[in-house]
Amino acid sequence: MSKTFMVVAETRDGKLRQVSLEALQAAELAKEDGDQVTAVLLGYELEGPAEELARCFQGRVLVVDHPDLKSYLAETYISALSQVLSSITPDLVLFGHTTVGRDLAPQVASRLQAGQISDVTAIENSGGDIIYTRPVYAGKAFEKKRLIGGSGIITLRPNNITPAGPASSPAEIAAFDYTPASSLRSVIKDVVRKATGKIDLTEAKVVISGGRGVKSAEGFKPLEDLAEVLHGAVGASRGACDAGYCDYALQIGQTGKVVTPEIYIACGISGAIQHLAGMSQSRVIIAINKDPEAPIFKVADYGIVGDLFEVVPLLTQEFKQA
Ligand code: FAD
């Protein structure tokens, strides 16, 4: 029997998030001939993102475009998704493992009485069985799981699956007739974002992270310069956040964000297990630390023993010239 895959796509500042294209690709990896993929896009003024999404797969983009959905609010988004789910019965719903995805997925799982697997990093169809891989023990090991019976929900960790690319023929775009909830509800008047850089940390291809070794808020400046040259984002250890050198929004690790960039440069970070939990799956790890015994060197692909205030500006200078 053919299956229906539903990808819940997200936008940020009017642009489609890359993790949504990765979730589409995950659906492609899981599906078999005859299976259907529907991408659901919720928000306001979605023409551009809907077209971008449609270019990347064969199937259907269901657009729920309404002023009430301009900013994410669990109650309005779940109301809209519930309406969509009354017209589709998906076998598998895929979310990005983002703040929004992590909030919505369990609510949808509860409504559908479905099993959920979170933080999936790989997906494969093995003779009709869909196998999901996810990290356990703070990234020290991976487990493979299957969902048994009925519908299933997964959230997908960003930057682990190649995003879906242009399809030979685009998906059909259909508008969903959303009925706003008439009862009393919360309304978002304004969104004030903390200044955390132009590039989303969890989706950045390059992350330059600072630890207690940066010594002050000003100490992050050389890291920001390097990030600018490499089109990357700046992150931090909890040590740096606790010391007040930067905002907690930058914290990477067990109790912070999980990142899996192509290049992770750790500057003045010792490499505590709780920090490694958030970055050890990065493709290439470069550590800069003046202590040759620092544990970060055990997970690093390249290590530079030296003072970050000398090494980082040199790297910036070299990359500028490259
Ligand atoms: P330190 O351990 O103090 O290391 C600083 C490093 O900088 C040293 O290795 C030093 O050699 C180097 N250094 C100093 N000066 C220079 C210089 N000029 N040039 C180059 N190198 C220099 N931590 C996280 O990061 N993320 C988490 O999510 C997190 N969650 C936690 C949850 C729990 C429940 C607990 C108990 C802890 C958690 N921690 C987390 C904290 C963690 O255990 C470490 O304390 C923290 O990661 C240390 O930060 P750090 O490496 O910046 O500081």
Side-chain angles (χ1 to χ4, degrees):
M1 217 170 60
S2 68
K3 292 195 180 81
T4 302
F5 293 81
M6 182 170 132
V7 172
V8 180
E10 271 182 61
T11 59
R12 188 177 193 256
D13 298 332
K15 293 204 177 81
L16 190 65
R17 291 194 69 157
Q18 183 181 287
V19 69
S20 301
L21 295 177
E22 293 165 7
L24 262 187
Q25 185 61 21
E28 290 294 323
L29 294 171
K31 84 187 239 284
E32 296 178 321
D33 286 349
D35 292 345
Q36 305 291 323
V37 179
T38 296
V40 179
L41 190 59
L42 304 120
Y44 184 49
E45 296 179 330
L46 295 170
E47 201 180 326
E51 283 171 5
E52 188 184 346
L53 204 50
R55 281 195 290 275
C56 296
F57 75 112
Q58 291 177 330
R60 183 170 62 135
V61 180
L62 206 50
V63 184
V64 192
D65 196 324
H66 193 277
D68 280 6
L69 303 169
K70 185 173 177 192
S71 298
Y72 176 72
L73 194 62
E75 60 192 281
T76 44
Y77 269 59
I78 202 68
S79 154
L81 264 183
S82 299
Q83 290 176 36
V84 171
L85 286 167
S86 59
S87 66
I88 309 176
T89 312
D91 295 280
L92 185 70
V93 187
L94 300 96
F95 292 88
H97 194 73
T98 59
T99 311
V100 169
R102 283 181 305 188
D103 196 31
L104 281 177
Q107 299 186 65
V108 171
S110 154
R111 270 172 177 70
L112 293 177
Q113 292 290 293
Q116 178 174 332
I117 301 179
S118 299
D119 206 13
V120 169
T121 53
I123 187 166
E124 64 181 297
N125 186 320
S126 167
D129 266 348
I130 307 175
I131 312 287
Y132 307 93
T133 305
R134 64 182 299 276
V136 285
Y137 304 121
K140 279 188 172 284
F142 287 88
E143 63 177 2
K144 287 186 185 271
K145 293 192 125 181
R146 269 187 310 151
L147 282 160
I148 300 168
S151 301
I153 312 288
I154 66 156
T155 66
L156 195 74
R157 184 184 280 200
N159 274 347
N160 279 273
I161 291 179
T162 313
S168 49
S169 60
E172 162 211 351
I173 300 179
F176 184 83
D177 194 10
Y178 163 66
T179 312
S182 53
S183 55
L184 269 182
R185 60 196 157 85
S186 331
V187 173
I188 292 182
K189 289 287 192 190
D190 196 9
V191 176
V192 182
R193 279 235 181 91
K194 286 181 177 170
T196 55
K198 289 176 227 143
I199 301 174
D200 189 301
L201 195 50
T202 56
E203 290 186 356
K205 298 274 173 241
V206 179
V207 173
I208 323 290
S209 256
R212 234 187 307 251
V214 301
K215 295 190 175 67
S216 65
E218 297 72 48
F220 267 91
K221 180 74 178 65
L223 278 59
E224 285 160 9
D225 293 344
L226 180 58
E228 196 171 327
V229 172
L230 296 178
H231 307 292
V234 172
S237 70
R238 180 157 142 189
C241 300
D242 282 347
Y245 304 160
C246 62
D247 196 279
Y248 280 100
L250 301 190
Q251 184 185 321
I252 290 167
Q254 188 181 318
T255 44
K257 293 193 166 89
V258 174
V259 298
T260 36
E262 284 169 15
I263 302 176
Y264 186 88
I265 308 183
C267 310
I269 294 179
S270 58
I273 180 81
Q274 295 89 352
H275 186 75
L276 302 186
M279 46 62 76
S280 61
Q281 299 309 313
S282 306
R283 206 155 295 162
V284 175
I285 298 171
I286 303 170
I288 304 167
N289 198 304
K290 62 181 187 184
D291 174 8
E293 302 297 325
I296 190 79
F297 288 125
K298 292 204 178 103
V299 295
D301 299 284
Y302 300 94
I304 303 173
V305 178
D307 187 331
L308 73 93
F309 295 106
E310 288 168 20
V311 177
V312 174
L314 281 174
L315 287 176
T316 307
Q317 208 179 317
E318 284 298 317
F319 283 120
K320 253 187 200 164
Q321 284 162 10

